[in-house]
Amino acid sequence: MGETAMRNQIRRLRFEHGEMTQQALAERVGVTRQTVIAIEQGKYSPSLELGFKIARAFGVGIDEVFQYEG
């Protein structure tokens, strides 16, 4: 798996939300910690549904979490 053209702000948002752990975020959105790690590192692009779940977990719009650089 290579890097995607999608950038994200998950790490920054986790720290702005009380230093939320990757595990805590994974549990909130219904995925494994390994999935959160891969998304955060830009090695995996989440489904649109998962992208919205992640944004909702932080109380922000999806465009504040993900930016496409195509």
Side-chain angles (χ1 to χ4, degrees):
M1 253 190 291
E3 301 252 335
T4 68
M6 187 93 68
R7 282 193 20 246
N8 70 74
Q9 304 299 315
I10 295 173
R11 188 165 197 268
R12 177 183 61 81
L13 287 163
R14 284 194 303 104
F15 281 90
E16 289 177 359
H17 286 77
E19 298 192 18
M20 180 189 297
T21 64
Q22 291 167 329
Q23 183 65 43
L25 177 58
E27 290 171 4
R28 283 184 83 169
V29 300
V31 298
T32 65
R33 179 174 165 263
Q34 287 77 13
T35 299
V36 170
I37 291 167
I39 295 168
E40 197 171 287
Q41 293 176 347
K43 295 180 178 172
Y44 173 72
S45 291
S47 68
L48 189 55
E49 181 180 358
L50 179 53
F52 276 106
K53 285 180 179 180
I54 292 169
R56 187 172 293 151
F58 293 120
V60 299
I62 196 166
D63 59 332
E64 193 171 327
V65 182
F66 299 99
Q67 299 80 41
Y68 182 72
E69 296 181 337

